[in-house]
PDB file of all heavy atoms in Angstrom:
ATOM      1  N   TYR A   1       0.801  -1.214   0.000  1.00 37.00           N
ATOM      2  CA  TYR A   1       0.000   0.000   0.000  1.00 37.00           C
ATOM      3  C   TYR A   1       0.842   1.276   0.000  1.00 37.00           C
ATOM      4  O   TYR A   1       0.469   2.279  -0.584  1.00 37.00           O
ATOM      5  CB  TYR A   1      -0.952   0.021   1.207  1.00 37.00           C
ATOM      6  CG  TYR A   1      -1.988   1.090   1.098  1.00 37.00           C
ATOM      7  CD1 TYR A   1      -3.000   0.992   0.143  1.00 37.00           C
ATOM      8  CD2 TYR A   1      -1.944   2.212   1.922  1.00 37.00           C
ATOM      9  CE1 TYR A   1      -3.952   1.971   0.024  1.00 37.00           C
ATOM     10  CE2 TYR A   1      -2.894   3.201   1.805  1.00 37.00           C
ATOM     11  CZ  TYR A   1      -3.903   3.074   0.855  1.00 37.00           C
ATOM     12  OH  TYR A   1      -4.836   4.058   0.740  1.00 37.00           O
ATOM     13  N   SER A   2       2.007   1.243   0.664  1.00 37.00           N
ATOM     14  CA  SER A   2       2.814   2.449   0.776  1.00 37.00           C
ATOM     15  C   SER A   2       3.587   2.787  -0.489  1.00 37.00           C
ATOM     16  O   SER A   2       4.084   3.888  -0.636  1.00 37.00           O
ATOM     17  CB  SER A   2       3.803   2.305   1.939  1.00 37.00           C
ATOM     18  OG  SER A   2       4.679   1.224   1.686  1.00 37.00           O
ATOM     19  N   CYS A   3       3.664   1.824  -1.422  1.00 38.00           N
ATOM     20  CA  CYS A   3       4.525   2.087  -2.579  1.00 38.00           C
ATOM     21  C   CYS A   3       3.814   1.983  -3.915  1.00 38.00           C
ATOM     22  O   CYS A   3       4.397   2.294  -4.944  1.00 38.00           O
ATOM     23  CB  CYS A   3       5.721   1.134  -2.573  1.00 38.00           C
ATOM     24  SG  CYS A   3       5.249  -0.606  -2.603  1.00 38.00           S
ATOM     25  N   VAL A   4       2.560   1.557  -3.958  1.00 37.00           N
ATOM     26  CA  VAL A   4       1.862   1.407  -5.231  1.00 37.00           C
ATOM     27  C   VAL A   4       0.623   2.269  -5.227  1.00 37.00           C
ATOM     28  O   VAL A   4      -0.147   2.249  -4.283  1.00 37.00           O
ATOM     29  CB  VAL A   4       1.453  -0.070  -5.482  1.00 37.00           C
ATOM     30  CG1 VAL A   4       0.746  -0.188  -6.825  1.00 37.00           C
ATOM     31  CG2 VAL A   4       2.675  -0.961  -5.447  1.00 37.00           C
ATOM     32  N   LYS A   5       0.411   3.030  -6.277  1.00 37.00           N
ATOM     33  CA  LYS A   5      -0.761   3.874  -6.374  1.00 37.00           C
ATOM     34  C   LYS A   5      -1.549   3.514  -7.624  1.00 37.00           C
ATOM     35  O   LYS A   5      -1.004   3.081  -8.626  1.00 37.00           O
ATOM     36  CB  LYS A   5      -0.365   5.339  -6.431  1.00 37.00           C
ATOM     37  CG  LYS A   5       0.306   5.834  -5.146  1.00 37.00           C
ATOM     38  CD  LYS A   5       0.624   7.305  -5.232  1.00 37.00           C
ATOM     39  CE  LYS A   5       1.276   7.800  -3.945  1.00 37.00           C
ATOM     40  NZ  LYS A   5       1.612   9.239  -4.020  1.00 37.00           N
ATOM     41  N   ASP A   6      -2.878   3.712  -7.533  1.00 39.00           N
ATOM     42  CA  ASP A   6      -3.723   3.453  -8.690  1.00 39.00           C
ATOM     43  C   ASP A   6      -3.497   4.524  -9.750  1.00 39.00           C
ATOM     44  O   ASP A   6      -3.247   5.688  -9.444  1.00 39.00           O
ATOM     45  CB  ASP A   6      -5.209   3.485  -8.290  1.00 39.00           C
ATOM     46  CG  ASP A   6      -5.549   2.353  -7.345  1.00 39.00           C
ATOM     47  OD1 ASP A   6      -4.938   1.304  -7.493  1.00 39.00           O
ATOM     48  OD2 ASP A   6      -6.401   2.561  -6.470  1.00 39.00           O
ATOM     49  N   LYS A   7      -3.625   4.132 -10.977  1.00 37.00           N
ATOM     50  CA  LYS A   7      -3.620   5.098 -12.042  1.00 37.00           C
ATOM     51  C   LYS A   7      -4.972   5.813 -12.047  1.00 37.00           C
ATOM     52  O   LYS A   7      -6.009   5.189 -11.891  1.00 37.00           O
ATOM     53  CB  LYS A   7      -3.412   4.395 -13.388  1.00 37.00           C
ATOM     54  CG  LYS A   7      -2.053   3.746 -13.526  1.00 37.00           C
ATOM     55  CD  LYS A   7      -1.925   3.068 -14.874  1.00 37.00           C
ATOM     56  CE  LYS A   7      -0.561   2.415 -15.035  1.00 37.00           C
ATOM     57  NZ  LYS A   7      -0.433   1.729 -16.324  1.00 37.00           N
ATOM     58  N   PRO A   8      -4.978   7.114 -12.224  1.00 35.00           N
ATOM     59  CA  PRO A   8      -6.257   7.817 -12.233  1.00 35.00           C
ATOM     60  C   PRO A   8      -7.104   7.383 -13.417  1.00 35.00           C
ATOM     61  O   PRO A   8      -6.601   7.125 -14.502  1.00 35.00           O
ATOM     62  CB  PRO A   8      -5.848   9.291 -12.347  1.00 35.00           C
ATOM     63  CG  PRO A   8      -4.493   9.258 -12.975  1.00 35.00           C
ATOM     64  CD  PRO A   8      -3.842   8.015 -12.452  1.00 35.00           C
ATOM     65  N   GLN A   9      -8.410   7.323 -13.209  1.00 40.00           N
ATOM     66  CA  GLN A   9      -9.305   6.941 -14.293  1.00 40.00           C
ATOM     67  C   GLN A   9     -10.588   7.737 -14.144  1.00 40.00           C
ATOM     68  O   GLN A   9     -11.121   7.905 -13.055  1.00 40.00           O
ATOM     69  CB  GLN A   9      -9.622   5.448 -14.244  1.00 40.00           C
ATOM     70  CG  GLN A   9     -10.586   5.012 -15.344  1.00 40.00           C
ATOM     71  CD  GLN A   9     -10.692   3.511 -15.417  1.00 40.00           C
ATOM     72  OE1 GLN A   9      -9.769   2.803 -15.054  1.00 40.00           O
ATOM     73  NE2 GLN A   9     -11.822   3.028 -15.892  1.00 40.00           N
ATOM     74  N   ASP A  10     -11.086   8.275 -15.224  1.00 39.00           N
ATOM     75  CA  ASP A  10     -12.308   9.062 -15.178  1.00 39.00           C
ATOM     76  C   ASP A  10     -13.474   8.167 -14.813  1.00 39.00           C
ATOM     77  O   ASP A  10     -13.601   7.052 -15.305  1.00 39.00           O
ATOM     78  CB  ASP A  10     -12.584   9.715 -16.537  1.00 39.00           C
ATOM     79  CG  ASP A  10     -11.558  10.775 -16.876  1.00 39.00           C
ATOM     80  OD1 ASP A  10     -10.964  11.327 -15.935  1.00 39.00           O
ATOM     81  OD2 ASP A  10     -11.353  11.026 -18.080  1.00 39.00           O
ATOM     82  N   ILE A  11     -14.335   8.683 -13.945  1.00 43.00           N
ATOM     83  CA  ILE A  11     -15.534   7.951 -13.550  1.00 43.00           C
ATOM     84  C   ILE A  11     -16.721   8.534 -14.300  1.00 43.00           C
ATOM     85  O   ILE A  11     -16.981   9.739 -14.234  1.00 43.00           O
ATOM     86  CB  ILE A  11     -15.764   8.043 -12.036  1.00 43.00           C
ATOM     87  CG1 ILE A  11     -14.602   7.358 -11.305  1.00 43.00           C
ATOM     88  CG2 ILE A  11     -17.078   7.407 -11.636  1.00 43.00           C
ATOM     89  CD1 ILE A  11     -14.713   7.426  -9.800  1.00 43.00           C
ATOM     90  N   LEU A  12     -17.434   7.708 -15.013  1.00 44.00           N
ATOM     91  CA  LEU A  12     -18.584   8.159 -15.771  1.00 44.00           C
ATOM     92  C   LEU A  12     -19.736   8.441 -14.823  1.00 44.00           C
ATOM     93  O   LEU A  12     -20.089   7.601 -14.006  1.00 44.00           O
ATOM     94  CB  LEU A  12     -18.987   7.087 -16.791  1.00 44.00           C
ATOM     95  CG  LEU A  12     -17.918   6.755 -17.831  1.00 44.00           C
ATOM     96  CD1 LEU A  12     -18.321   5.524 -18.602  1.00 44.00           C
ATOM     97  CD2 LEU A  12     -17.738   7.920 -18.777  1.00 44.00           C
ATOM     98  N   LYS A  13     -20.313   9.608 -14.921  1.00 47.00           N
ATOM     99  CA  LYS A  13     -21.411   9.978 -14.046  1.00 47.00           C
ATOM    100  C   LYS A  13     -22.688  10.154 -14.865  1.00 47.00           C
ATOM    101  O   LYS A  13     -22.692  10.786 -15.910  1.00 47.00           O
ATOM    102  CB  LYS A  13     -21.095  11.275 -13.286  1.00 47.00           C
ATOM    103  CG  LYS A  13     -19.991  11.115 -12.238  1.00 47.00           C
ATOM    104  CD  LYS A  13     -19.788  12.414 -11.507  1.00 47.00           C
ATOM    105  CE  LYS A  13     -18.751  12.257 -10.400  1.00 47.00           C
ATOM    106  NZ  LYS A  13     -19.200  11.404  -9.318  1.00 47.00           N
ATOM    107  N   ASN A  14     -23.756   9.568 -14.338  1.00 50.00           N
ATOM    108  CA  ASN A  14     -25.082   9.740 -14.919  1.00 50.00           C
ATOM    109  C   ASN A  14     -25.168   9.274 -16.368  1.00 50.00           C
ATOM    110  O   ASN A  14     -25.969   9.782 -17.145  1.00 50.00           O
ATOM    111  CB  ASN A  14     -25.513  11.220 -14.826  1.00 50.00           C
ATOM    112  CG  ASN A  14     -25.510  11.726 -13.393  1.00 50.00           C
ATOM    113  OD1 ASN A  14     -25.951  11.035 -12.496  1.00 50.00           O
ATOM    114  ND2 ASN A  14     -25.000  12.934 -13.200  1.00 50.00           N
ATOM    115  N   THR A  15     -24.337   8.347 -16.747  1.00 59.00           N
ATOM    116  CA  THR A  15     -24.386   7.826 -18.114  1.00 59.00           C
ATOM    117  C   THR A  15     -24.860   6.387 -18.153  1.00 59.00           C
ATOM    118  O   THR A  15     -25.195   5.885 -19.214  1.00 59.00           O
ATOM    119  CB  THR A  15     -23.001   7.909 -18.783  1.00 59.00           C
ATOM    120  OG1 THR A  15     -22.065   7.165 -17.985  1.00 59.00           O
ATOM    121  CG2 THR A  15     -22.538   9.349 -18.888  1.00 59.00           C
ATOM    122  N   ILE A  16     -24.870   5.713 -17.008  1.00 72.00           N
ATOM    123  CA  ILE A  16     -25.307   4.322 -16.949  1.00 72.00           C
ATOM    124  C   ILE A  16     -26.441   4.215 -15.946  1.00 72.00           C
ATOM    125  O   ILE A  16     -26.329   4.685 -14.816  1.00 72.00           O
ATOM    126  CB  ILE A  16     -24.168   3.381 -16.524  1.00 72.00           C
ATOM    127  CG1 ILE A  16     -22.945   3.574 -17.417  1.00 72.00           C
ATOM    128  CG2 ILE A  16     -24.621   1.933 -16.588  1.00 72.00           C
ATOM    129  CD1 ILE A  16     -21.748   2.757 -16.977  1.00 72.00           C
ATOM    130  N   SER A  17     -27.510   3.576 -16.346  1.00 76.00           N
ATOM    131  CA  SER A  17     -28.645   3.367 -15.448  1.00 76.00           C
ATOM    132  C   SER A  17     -28.583   1.973 -14.853  1.00 76.00           C
ATOM    133  O   SER A  17     -28.249   1.003 -15.534  1.00 76.00           O
ATOM    134  CB  SER A  17     -29.964   3.543 -16.211  1.00 76.00           C
ATOM    135  OG  SER A  17     -31.056   3.091 -15.442  1.00 76.00           O
ATOM    136  N   ILE A  18     -28.921   1.859 -13.570  1.00 80.00           N
ATOM    137  CA  ILE A  18     -28.974   0.559 -12.910  1.00 80.00           C
ATOM    138  C   ILE A  18     -30.042  -0.313 -13.552  1.00 80.00           C
ATOM    139  O   ILE A  18     -30.013  -1.535 -13.443  1.00 80.00           O
ATOM    140  CB  ILE A  18     -29.258   0.739 -11.397  1.00 80.00           C
ATOM    141  CG1 ILE A  18     -29.116  -0.584 -10.638  1.00 80.00           C
ATOM    142  CG2 ILE A  18     -30.626   1.345 -11.167  1.00 80.00           C
ATOM    143  CD1 ILE A  18     -27.714  -1.092 -10.549  1.00 80.00           C
ATOM    144  N   ASN A  19     -30.993   0.310 -14.270  1.00 76.00           N
ATOM    145  CA  ASN A  19     -32.077  -0.430 -14.902  1.00 76.00           C
ATOM    146  C   ASN A  19     -31.823  -0.750 -16.368  1.00 76.00           C
ATOM    147  O   ASN A  19     -32.670  -1.335 -17.025  1.00 76.00           O
ATOM    148  CB  ASN A  19     -33.389   0.372 -14.775  1.00 76.00           C
ATOM    149  CG  ASN A  19     -33.769   0.608 -13.328  1.00 76.00           C
ATOM    150  OD1 ASN A  19     -33.905  -0.325 -12.565  1.00 76.00           O
ATOM    151  ND2 ASN A  19     -33.923   1.874 -12.951  1.00 76.00           N
ATOM    152  N   SER A  20     -30.674  -0.344 -16.883  1.00 73.00           N
ATOM    153  CA  SER A  20     -30.387  -0.605 -18.288  1.00 73.00           C
ATOM    154  C   SER A  20     -30.133  -2.084 -18.528  1.00 73.00           C
ATOM    155  O   SER A  20     -29.674  -2.812 -17.651  1.00 73.00           O
ATOM    156  CB  SER A  20     -29.165   0.207 -18.735  1.00 73.00           C
ATOM    157  OG  SER A  20     -28.020  -0.194 -18.013  1.00 73.00           O
ATOM    158  N   ASP A  21     -30.464  -2.523 -19.720  1.00 78.00           N
ATOM    159  CA  ASP A  21     -30.282  -3.929 -20.063  1.00 78.00           C
ATOM    160  C   ASP A  21     -28.795  -4.262 -20.158  1.00 78.00           C
ATOM    161  O   ASP A  21     -28.014  -3.489 -20.713  1.00 78.00           O
ATOM    162  CB  ASP A  21     -30.960  -4.226 -21.407  1.00 78.00           C
ATOM    163  CG  ASP A  21     -30.935  -5.705 -21.750  1.00 78.00           C
ATOM    164  OD1 ASP A  21     -31.245  -6.527 -20.864  1.00 78.00           O
ATOM    165  OD2 ASP A  21     -30.586  -6.047 -22.894  1.00 78.00           O
ATOM    166  N   GLY A  22     -28.409  -5.379 -19.590  1.00 83.00           N
ATOM    167  CA  GLY A  22     -27.025  -5.810 -19.687  1.00 83.00           C
ATOM    168  C   GLY A  22     -26.110  -5.275 -18.620  1.00 83.00           C
ATOM    169  O   GLY A  22     -24.886  -5.335 -18.756  1.00 83.00           O
ATOM    170  N   LYS A  23     -26.682  -4.722 -17.553  1.00 93.00           N
ATOM    171  CA  LYS A  23     -25.825  -4.187 -16.494  1.00 93.00           C
ATOM    172  C   LYS A  23     -25.254  -5.319 -15.642  1.00 93.00           C
ATOM    173  O   LYS A  23     -25.851  -6.375 -15.479  1.00 93.00           O
ATOM    174  CB  LYS A  23     -26.588  -3.208 -15.607  1.00 93.00           C
ATOM    175  CG  LYS A  23     -27.684  -3.840 -14.769  1.00 93.00           C
ATOM    176  CD  LYS A  23     -28.399  -2.795 -13.937  1.00 93.00           C
ATOM    177  CE  LYS A  23     -29.495  -3.418 -13.085  1.00 93.00           C
ATOM    178  NZ  LYS A  23     -30.572  -4.045 -13.839  1.00 93.00           N
ATOM    179  N   VAL A  24     -24.070  -5.072 -15.080  1.00 96.00           N
ATOM    180  CA  VAL A  24     -23.385  -6.023 -14.212  1.00 96.00           C
ATOM    181  C   VAL A  24     -22.839  -5.261 -13.007  1.00 96.00           C
ATOM    182  O   VAL A  24     -22.172  -4.230 -13.172  1.00 96.00           O
ATOM    183  CB  VAL A  24     -22.215  -6.723 -14.945  1.00 96.00           C
ATOM    184  CG1 VAL A  24     -21.505  -7.695 -14.009  1.00 96.00           C
ATOM    185  CG2 VAL A  24     -22.717  -7.448 -16.189  1.00 96.00           C
ATOM    186  N   LEU A  25     -23.129  -5.737 -11.822  1.00 97.00           N
ATOM    187  CA  LEU A  25     -22.547  -5.163 -10.620  1.00 97.00           C
ATOM    188  C   LEU A  25     -21.296  -5.953 -10.255  1.00 97.00           C
ATOM    189  O   LEU A  25     -21.309  -7.177 -10.246  1.00 97.00           O
ATOM    190  CB  LEU A  25     -23.541  -5.213  -9.454  1.00 97.00           C
ATOM    191  CG  LEU A  25     -24.822  -4.383  -9.596  1.00 97.00           C
ATOM    192  CD1 LEU A  25     -25.690  -4.568  -8.362  1.00 97.00           C
ATOM    193  CD2 LEU A  25     -24.504  -2.912  -9.808  1.00 97.00           C
ATOM    194  N   VAL A  26     -20.226  -5.240  -9.958  1.00 98.00           N
ATOM    195  CA  VAL A  26     -18.965  -5.860  -9.543  1.00 98.00           C
ATOM    196  C   VAL A  26     -18.756  -5.546  -8.069  1.00 98.00           C
ATOM    197  O   VAL A  26     -18.767  -4.381  -7.661  1.00 98.00           O
ATOM    198  CB  VAL A  26     -17.776  -5.338 -10.368  1.00 98.00           C
ATOM    199  CG1 VAL A  26     -16.502  -6.088  -9.980  1.00 98.00           C
ATOM    200  CG2 VAL A  26     -18.047  -5.463 -11.859  1.00 98.00           C
ATOM    201  N   ILE A  27     -18.556  -6.578  -7.263  1.00 98.00           N
ATOM    202  CA  ILE A  27     -18.364  -6.416  -5.825  1.00 98.00           C
ATOM    203  C   ILE A  27     -16.875  -6.272  -5.539  1.00 98.00           C
ATOM    204  O   ILE A  27     -16.078  -7.153  -5.855  1.00 98.00           O
ATOM    205  CB  ILE A  27     -18.928  -7.630  -5.052  1.00 98.00           C
ATOM    206  CG1 ILE A  27     -20.353  -7.953  -5.527  1.00 98.00           C
ATOM    207  CG2 ILE A  27     -18.888  -7.368  -3.556  1.00 98.00           C
ATOM    208  CD1 ILE A  27     -21.307  -6.791  -5.466  1.00 98.00           C
ATOM    209  N   ASN A  28     -16.512  -5.138  -4.918  1.00 98.00           N
ATOM    210  CA  ASN A  28     -15.107  -4.833  -4.636  1.00 98.00           C
ATOM    211  C   ASN A  28     -14.880  -4.748  -3.131  1.00 98.00           C
ATOM    212  O   ASN A  28     -15.456  -3.882  -2.466  1.00 98.00           O
ATOM    213  CB  ASN A  28     -14.716  -3.500  -5.277  1.00 98.00           C
ATOM    214  CG  ASN A  28     -15.100  -3.421  -6.750  1.00 98.00           C
ATOM    215  OD1 ASN A  28     -14.685  -4.234  -7.556  1.00 98.00           O
ATOM    216  ND2 ASN A  28     -15.912  -2.432  -7.084  1.00 98.00           N
ATOM    217  N   GLU A  29     -14.054  -5.626  -2.602  1.00 97.00           N
ATOM    218  CA  GLU A  29     -13.797  -5.627  -1.162  1.00 97.00           C
ATOM    219  C   GLU A  29     -13.208  -4.312  -0.680  1.00 97.00           C
ATOM    220  O   GLU A  29     -13.547  -3.809   0.387  1.00 97.00           O
ATOM    221  CB  GLU A  29     -12.849  -6.779  -0.802  1.00 97.00           C
ATOM    222  CG  GLU A  29     -13.460  -8.153  -1.006  1.00 97.00           C
ATOM    223  CD  GLU A  29     -12.468  -9.256  -0.725  1.00 97.00           C
ATOM    224  OE1 GLU A  29     -11.395  -8.954  -0.162  1.00 97.00           O
ATOM    225  OE2 GLU A  29     -12.764 -10.408  -1.061  1.00 97.00           O
TER     226      GLU A  29
END
């Protein structure tokens, strides 16, 4: 944790609906 950082990535806002067809939820610990 002290030496590795995530690469920044843009987060899409308000472009995907939870009700849209083909959605997948990914569970992240």
Side-chain angles (χ1 to χ4, degrees):
Y1 192 69
S2 62
C3 59
V4 181
K5 295 182 179 179
D6 294 327
K7 294 180 180 179
Q9 179 170 333
D10 292 335
I11 296 178
L12 299 169
K13 291 182 177 292
N14 302 317
T15 58
I16 306 175
S17 168
I18 188 69
N19 300 304
S20 63
D21 186 46
K23 67 181 180 297
V24 179
L25 296 179
V26 184
I27 311 306
N28 309 302
E29 293 176 12

